[in-house]
Amino acid sequence: MDDPYQNNINQQGETYPTYGEGGEYTYSYQTDYPPQEEEDAASDVTEGHDDDDQMYEGEYQGIPHPDEIKEARRAARREARMKARMAAEVEEETLPDQYESIMEDCGHGRFQWTLFTVLGLALMADGVECFVVSFALPSAEKDMCLSNADKGMLGLIVYVGLMIGAVLWGGLADKLGRRQCLLYALAINCIFSFLSCFAQSYGFFIFFRLCSGIGIGGSIPVVYTYYAEFLQMDKRGEHLSWLCLFWMLGGLYASFTAWGIIPHYGWGFSMGTEFQFHSWRVFVLVCFLPSVAALAGLVFMPESPRFLLETARHDEAWMILKQVHDTNWRAKGEPERVFQVSQIKMPQAQDDEFIEIQSETGTAFQRFMVRHMTLVKQVMKNLMSLAAPDLRLHGLFIAIVWFTMAFSYYGLGAWFPDQIKYLQFEEYESNVKIFHREKVERFHFNFTLQNQVHKEGEYIHDGFIDIEIRNVKFEESLFENCYFEDIRSTDTFFENCTLKNTVFYNTDLWEDSKFINCKLENTTFLHPKKGCHLNFQEENDILIYLVSFLGSLSVLPGNIIAGLLMDKIGRLKIIGGSMLGSAGCTFFLLLCFSQWAVVVFQCLFFAASAAAWNGIEVVTVELYPASKRATAFGVLNGTCKLAAIISTFTFGKVIGITKIIPIILSFSALVCGGLLAFKLPETREVILQ
């Protein structure tokens, strides 16, 4: 007869681990008595005696009652089930610990520095993307004759693309893989950045820049998630902070190339009147080179082994970890060191696998739709899981910190150049020359007309040939028998004027846009110029490039301080102290009344806020588990871009009206975000979950 203590099937059909030595989960329950024969036990039950009145006959022989035996069995099973659950929990909890031990054994060396360079180029491409349109816009608006509404939309479309890309690629990276999604994102950015260089119409240009932004928008969430999973705990804060330096290099690269390329009008070419390729397009073309370099380098990089373990691809993860180990120790002069990990613990639950559709099932389109709809459902499920009770509160806090930091940083980042331009314009307007009731006959204008207002003048038999007219306004004036040829104009208008027997030949003075409430009598427009005149001396002022260059360079001290102190004083002190410090710099902007004062405080603001960005990104990586890390980072980075859209739009509306609103809003946001940052959990000594 089988031993009843080895029975592992209960009445409901559940299967439990055995209690003997052969089971996976052992239990050392032993009785002090021999097994009771089933015949004896059955006879006691069927004799019909009253158990309460009559004493059990085996009691004097030391034989337990059958009810006691059953109760002992139940207790043993309950304890075995508890041990099984505890063993499963220990199995799950030890995976992060074991992975951390493996990364410590692999060391930090050549492999991490190679990956650091490749991913840094991807971050650099993101930094460039934020500056491309703002530098090209002054020329592009003239080349495409954009209205103020079009200019505003073009300035915001970059952030819209970055916001969509951050959420999209962050969510996909937790299901398809960090490396694969980053490859797709960079490829999309390269393709559409290249196409935007040649787009002649505003519609195509804005569409290509939107798609380019969607591509590169995935770089920040995926890059930080990807790189963090190759770092051990004591290196993570420092080296993720050094990675932020590449975003600064992106701003420097964009500023320097714009300064060196855009003012050189002769670097472009044209094919008739339909295709124009001016120097600002050369600048846009050069700006997608960091993305190309990152894409080429990423081809030779492996997938994150932490992601592979989460998706039950044990063998691939082991091979990559061995590659990291061997690469680092070979570079350190220890090629004989052996990778000793033979087994890696796996997560218990793997319920998010893709549905594999056989090639014989349905049509190719049906298989495509099933696979991709499954992927969409998994991404949405992962997105919704960020609202779980254990993540909800901290997620809300860090989202507010992201939003307040981005609202101030991007808003003031766009406000500084616009404020400088406004101060320049005010100074320029203060020197305007006004001519009232002048009368000029048979005169040949062969010199530049600039910053002038002509009221109630008379111009008879005059010639305006091969000149530039900049910021000139003719009001209630008479032009009779005049001749305009090869005119290049900027912000020049004729208002309430009368033009008689006048010819415009090869000019950019258009009848429908430059003449406001004018009376045209026998006036002809011959061979009007296609497009608008590019005035590089005005629209591309060197000071604007210098401001952006200095602003990008000023974050270097903040990045260095964050890198050195991130693992020493903690993430929260870095974030809170940096945000409160930048709030102080913002408040003193109220005292700025000159261009160079604005430049100085811009540099101080960027320097003070750089460390906060480093801390926010490090905490975001460390706060979430591996299965949700990229998704959470993507959502938070998308929140950041939403704040950028709101602040740039808001601050742009008050340029020239008041500077109090941008300063007060930025100051309040930074103080609130800085104080709230101290409520976040400190992740300095936390293993990546």
Side-chain angles (χ1 to χ4, degrees):
M1 170 179 281
D2 295 336
D3 188 350
Y5 302 108
Q6 300 296 327
N7 181 21
N8 63 345
I9 302 179
N10 68 359
Q11 294 177 358
Q12 286 78 24
E14 281 185 82
T15 301
Y16 301 102
T18 58
Y19 313 132
E21 296 179 357
E24 181 181 356
Y25 303 104
T26 62
Y27 180 70
S28 59
Y29 178 83
Q30 300 266 337
T31 61
D32 297 329
Y33 43 82
Q36 174 71 23
E37 294 294 331
E38 290 182 4
E39 293 83 3
D40 296 338
S43 65
D44 292 334
V45 177
T46 58
E47 281 182 358
H49 295 285
D50 189 351
D51 292 337
D52 295 332
D53 298 333
Q54 185 173 356
M55 187 174 295
Y56 173 54
E57 63 182 9
E59 181 179 0
Y60 295 105
Q61 302 174 11
I63 300 174
H65 194 282
D67 291 342
E68 295 179 5
I69 297 174
K70 293 178 181 178
E71 182 60 30
R73 289 177 182 172
R74 294 191 190 100
R77 289 168 181 163
R78 284 195 299 270
E79 191 166 351
R81 286 197 297 268
M82 185 179 298
K83 283 194 171 186
R85 286 194 297 268
M86 292 176 62
E89 291 174 0
V90 169
E91 187 79 8
E92 288 182 332
E93 291 173 356
T94 55
L95 174 60
D97 295 325
Q98 187 189 22
Y99 189 81
E100 178 66 26
S101 299
I102 293 173
M103 293 312 304
E104 290 178 358
D105 184 56
C106 291
H108 188 93
R110 175 178 292 177
F111 180 88
Q112 279 84 358
W113 286 115
T114 304
L115 184 63
F116 174 83
T117 304
V118 173
L119 297 181
L121 289 171
L123 273 187
M124 183 177 174
D126 182 90
V128 170
E129 187 73 18
C130 294
F131 289 93
V132 169
V133 170
S134 61
F135 286 147
L137 187 58
S139 300
E141 66 174 292
K142 295 298 181 182
D143 200 6
M144 299 179 182
C145 300
L146 303 181
S147 64
N148 289 331
D150 291 338
K151 288 188 292 184
M153 178 59 68
L154 188 56
L156 292 177
I157 201 66
V158 175
Y159 292 117
V160 174
L162 292 173
M163 178 180 66
I164 296 172
V167 178
L168 173 66
W169 296 113
L172 290 175
D174 281 330
K175 296 303 173 184
L176 297 180
R178 286 68 161 116
R179 174 183 175 272
Q180 186 174 353
C181 284
L182 191 56
L183 279 170
Y184 291 156
L186 291 174
I188 291 174
N189 175 252
C190 290
I191 292 170
F192 287 100
S193 291
F194 180 79
L195 292 176
S196 69
C197 303
F198 302 95
Q200 297 297 302
S201 68
Y202 169 74
F204 277 111
F205 184 75
I206 197 172
F207 172 74
F208 290 149
R209 293 316 304 182
L210 173 65
C211 295
S212 173
I214 291 175
I216 203 61
S219 63
I220 289 183
V222 179
V223 160
Y224 279 96
T225 301
Y226 188 15
Y227 191 52
E229 293 173 348
F230 281 98
L231 296 172
Q232 59 202 65
M233 184 174 61
D234 60 340
K235 300 283 186 182
R236 201 164 54 231
E238 177 185 354
H239 288 271
L240 288 176
S241 297
W242 296 137
L243 196 61
C244 296
L245 289 171
F246 280 92
W247 202 92
M248 175 202 73
L249 292 177
L252 294 177
Y253 177 83
S255 304
F256 187 76
T257 53
W259 191 351
I261 294 175
I262 294 180
H264 297 280
Y265 183 81
W267 286 18
F269 63 91
S270 62
M271 299 174 62
T273 59
E274 297 298 326
F275 186 86
Q276 305 287 333
F277 194 88
H278 296 130
S279 58
W280 69 267
R281 297 181 184 272
V282 178
F283 162 71
V284 175
L285 184 64
V286 170
C287 281
F288 93 115
L289 295 180
S291 186
V292 173
L295 183 63
L298 195 62
V299 171
F300 301 98
M301 294 292 106
E303 182 56 85
S304 165
R306 191 71 175 87
F307 166 77
L308 295 174
L309 289 174
E310 289 294 322
T311 53
R313 293 155 67 179
H314 176 279
D315 294 338
E316 293 178 63
W318 187 89
M319 292 297 295
I320 292 171
L321 290 170
K322 184 178 185 302
Q323 176 189 348
V324 175
H325 176 278
D326 294 346
T327 301
N328 288 339
W329 290 110
R330 217 178 280 125
K332 295 177 181 179
E334 299 184 35
E336 70 283 352
R337 189 154 179 168
V338 178
F339 185 57
Q340 297 180 351
V341 177
S342 59
Q343 184 178 3
I344 303 177
K345 297 182 182 298
M346 299 291 293
Q348 291 293 310
Q350 291 296 337
D351 56 353
D352 276 344
E353 295 300 315
F354 283 107
I355 298 175
E356 184 60 31
I357 306 300
Q358 299 296 328
S359 58
E360 299 84 4
T361 305
T363 64
F365 178 74
Q366 289 174 329
R367 294 193 297 272
F368 174 86
M369 291 301 298
V370 169
R371 288 192 177 100
H372 286 78
M373 288 304 297
T374 302
L375 175 62
V376 170
K377 291 178 182 177
Q378 290 174 351
V379 171
M380 293 303 299
K381 180 181 177 182
N382 209 30
L383 192 63
M384 295 297 103
S385 69
L386 297 178
D390 57 331
L391 299 173
R392 187 183 305 153
L393 184 60
H394 291 155
L396 176 63
F397 284 176
I398 198 169
I400 294 174
V401 175
W402 270 93
F403 186 92
T404 54
M405 186 65 209
F407 181 86
S408 303
Y409 186 90
Y410 287 103
L412 289 179
W415 181 82
F416 284 128
D418 287 344
Q419 182 69 11
I420 292 172
K421 287 182 181 178
Y422 175 73
L423 293 174
Q424 288 178 323
F425 177 75
E426 275 193 329
E427 183 180 353
Y428 185 76
E429 285 286 299
S430 64
N431 297 321
V432 64
K433 296 179 180 179
I434 300 177
F435 299 86
H436 189 252
R437 292 184 177 179
E438 65 175 352
K439 185 173 183 180
V440 182
E441 292 188 49
R442 302 186 183 277
F443 185 80
H444 180 199
F445 289 88
N446 58 0
F447 50 86
T448 299
L449 302 180
Q450 180 177 354
N451 198 21
Q452 300 174 359
V453 175
H454 299 262
K455 297 182 177 180
E456 300 179 9
E458 294 183 11
Y459 305 91
I460 302 172
H461 293 284
D462 294 329
F464 301 80
I465 301 174
D466 194 21
I467 62 172
E468 289 188 20
I469 307 178
R470 290 186 242 147
N471 296 91
V472 176
K473 189 175 183 181
F474 295 95
E475 297 179 354
E476 300 176 355
S477 298
L478 171 65
F479 293 85
E480 186 173 354
N481 296 312
C482 292
Y483 182 73
F484 292 80
E485 181 179 354
D486 293 329
I487 303 298
R488 299 174 300 281
S489 67
T490 303
D491 293 332
T492 296
F493 300 95
F494 297 78
E495 185 174 352
N496 297 321
C497 295
T498 301
L499 293 90
K500 300 179 179 179
N501 303 318
T502 299
V503 176
F504 292 86
Y505 180 84
N506 193 31
T507 72
D508 57 8
L509 299 172
W510 298 351
E511 181 179 358
D512 55 350
S513 61
K514 300 292 185 178
F515 299 88
I516 304 171
N517 297 326
C518 292
K519 185 178 181 181
L520 306 179
E521 299 179 3
N522 196 25
T523 298
T524 57
F525 296 85
L526 303 175
H527 302 288
K529 291 182 180 180
K530 183 81 173 176
C532 300
H533 169 56
L534 295 176
N535 183 358
F536 291 100
Q537 293 180 352
E538 180 180 346
E539 277 85 12
N540 302 301
D541 195 301
I542 297 262
L543 180 60
I544 300 303
Y545 301 131
L546 181 61
V547 167
S548 298
F549 184 86
L550 293 176
S552 299
L553 186 62
S554 63
V555 306
L556 180 61
N559 281 329
I560 293 175
I561 292 173
L564 295 176
L565 300 181
M566 189 70 69
D567 290 321
K568 292 182 173 60
I569 67 173
R571 284 74 162 127
L572 304 188
K573 292 180 181 178
I574 289 286
I575 300 172
S578 177
M579 292 185 72
L580 294 177
S582 56
C585 296
T586 303
F587 183 78
F588 284 105
L589 284 172
L590 292 170
L591 305 178
C592 296
F593 298 99
S594 67
Q595 299 177 33
W596 287 106
V598 174
V599 173
V600 170
F601 277 96
Q602 175 198 17
C603 294
L604 291 175
F605 172 78
F606 286 156
S609 58
W613 281 116
N614 293 17
I616 291 171
E617 287 154 350
V618 173
V619 169
T620 302
V621 167
E622 297 172 334
L623 191 61
Y624 290 91
S627 60
K628 301 176 177 62
R629 185 168 297 127
T631 301
F633 208 129
V635 171
L636 292 171
N637 196 250
T639 303
C640 161
K641 298 306 186 290
L642 176 62
I645 294 172
I646 296 173
S647 61
T648 53
F649 178 80
T650 303
F651 292 3
K653 291 295 184 180
V654 298
I655 289 292
I657 301 175
T658 178
K659 64 180 181 181
I660 296 178
I661 292 177
I663 294 172
I664 295 300
L665 289 177
S666 299
F667 176 81
S668 303
L670 288 168
V671 170
C672 293
L675 295 176
L676 187 61
F678 291 105
K679 297 294 184 180
L680 295 173
E682 179 57 72
T683 58
R684 177 172 43 169
E685 297 180 355
V686 175
I687 295 174
L688 285 182
Q689 298 299 311

